Amino acid sequence: MTARIYRPAKTAMQSGKAKCQDWVLEFEPEKPRSIDPIMGYTSSGDMNSQIRMSFDTREQAVAYASRNGLTYRVIEPKESKRRRVAYSDNFRFDRRQPWTH
């Protein structure tokens, strides 16, 4: 059983960073998912895929994994590079792209 410890990225439906500060411990799938031929549902016989634990810090998640004898891998988060842009920049006379409606 190998566990992944990571901090989830924000979803495309969010504008803020709520629920992105916690660290998550999930187990890697041991069996592939299968499609039910009659209903078309995706199912798995792996019960560990249902476990998802969240921690305040990475150190707490690593301590939990090592205390319980789990092999784990830490995935470092990628910080987004955001450029500060003012609304008035849309109306500058030296824009690179012409203003059109």
Side-chain angles (χ1 to χ4, degrees):
M1 267 191 319
T2 304
R4 285 187 299 229
I5 298 173
Y6 65 95
R7 196 168 75 188
K10 74 180 194 77
T11 64
M13 301 304 291
Q14 292 177 327
S15 61
K17 293 192 176 192
K19 298 183 181 180
C20 295
Q21 303 304 320
D22 291 342
W23 287 81
V24 175
L25 183 138
E26 285 182 341
F27 291 101
E28 302 228 359
E30 294 178 359
K31 300 177 184 176
R33 293 182 178 264
S34 60
I35 298 174
D36 184 63
I38 297 173
M39 298 298 289
Y41 297 146
T42 303
S43 63
S44 174
D46 187 16
M47 292 302 202
N48 288 331
S49 65
Q50 299 176 9
I51 298 173
R52 180 182 170 108
M53 291 184 266
S54 61
F55 298 91
D56 291 333
T57 63
R58 176 180 61 185
E59 289 77 23
Q60 289 177 346
V62 169
Y64 176 83
S66 54
R67 185 173 56 239
N68 291 312
L70 301 172
T71 58
Y72 61 90
R73 138 178 102 102
V74 178
I75 302 170
E76 293 295 328
K78 296 178 184 169
E79 298 297 327
S80 62
K81 297 176 185 175
R82 295 206 43 150
R83 216 177 50 142
R84 289 211 167 237
V85 179
Y87 176 70
S88 61
D89 289 342
N90 291 330
F91 305 103
R92 290 176 51 175
F93 66 91
D94 58 346
R95 280 179 56 108
R96 292 185 182 161
Q97 297 173 350
W99 174 259
T100 59
H101 287 285

